Amino acid sequence: MKEVTKVFMGAAALMTDGSILSRVGTANVALMAQSNNVPVLFCCETYKISSRVQLESITSNELGNPDALISTNCAIDRSGSKETNGNDVLNEWRSVESLRLLNLLYDLTPSEFASGIITELGILPPTSVAVLLRELNQKENDLGSSNI
């Protein structure tokens, strides 16, 4: 992180409270950058602004194949060298009745971790997403009423 001056990431959606829905791991990268005082900028088109607020990453998330979380028979021993073995802990995970693997595809990055949002209209702070949505809806309503 010492050599990083800015972090740019994409967004699947922007929520009205300024939080960002993006691929799993995005919130971790944004947290690390923010804790090191590195600006985090999200690139997102305005059509991806959602009028809803999402408080966590579980509800309304897409699930991936749980088998994608299973090891690829590659382990790292204590010396740091890679070795393959057939004794992966999760090989028989389906037979363990009390175990469910959850492969979330998206996570929610809080607006506090974003320095700015880059759109086709310019760069705006995450706190202005609701204002931008209201302006875009107003323009859409004005165009719709003039066509009647």
Side-chain angles (χ1 to χ4, degrees):
M1 254 320 166
K2 293 177 183 177
E3 296 84 27
V4 177
T5 58
K6 289 174 194 63
V7 174
F8 291 90
M9 292 188 277
L14 294 175
M15 304 298 153
T16 55
D17 65 350
S19 58
I20 300 105
L21 187 71
S22 194
R23 299 296 285 182
V24 161
T26 303
N28 293 336
V29 172
L31 171 65
M32 182 60 71
Q34 192 251 3
S35 67
N36 285 284
N37 296 319
V38 175
V40 179
L41 299 165
F42 285 90
C43 304
C44 188
E45 298 91 347
T46 55
Y47 77 88
K48 293 182 178 181
I49 297 176
S50 173
S51 60
R52 66 189 180 121
V53 174
Q54 189 166 331
L55 301 177
E56 37 73 26
S57 298
I58 304 295
T59 309
S60 302
N61 202 330
E62 292 183 31
L63 298 177
N65 182 354
D67 290 322
L69 298 174
I70 307 300
S71 174
T72 59
N73 287 333
C74 186
I76 299 176
D77 65 13
R78 291 180 187 241
S79 68
S81 65
K82 288 186 176 182
E83 61 181 41
T84 58
N85 63 25
N87 298 328
D88 287 333
V89 176
L90 295 175
N91 271 350
E92 302 297 325
W93 73 272
R94 291 186 191 273
S95 64
V96 180
E97 195 171 316
S98 61
L99 179 63
R100 302 285 183 266
L101 296 184
L102 186 63
N103 185 5
L104 296 175
L105 296 182
Y106 295 94
D107 68 15
L108 194 68
T109 304
S111 61
E112 299 83 40
F113 297 163
S115 305
I117 311 232
I118 301 172
T119 71
E120 68 273 15
L121 302 176
I123 301 175
L124 59 131
T127 54
S128 297
V129 172
V131 175
L132 180 59
L133 180 62
R134 187 176 63 232
E135 292 293 321
L136 292 172
N137 285 340
Q138 183 63 42
K139 282 183 184 179
E140 192 175 289
N141 291 340
D142 290 346
L143 288 174
S145 63
S146 66
N147 290 336
I148 297 177

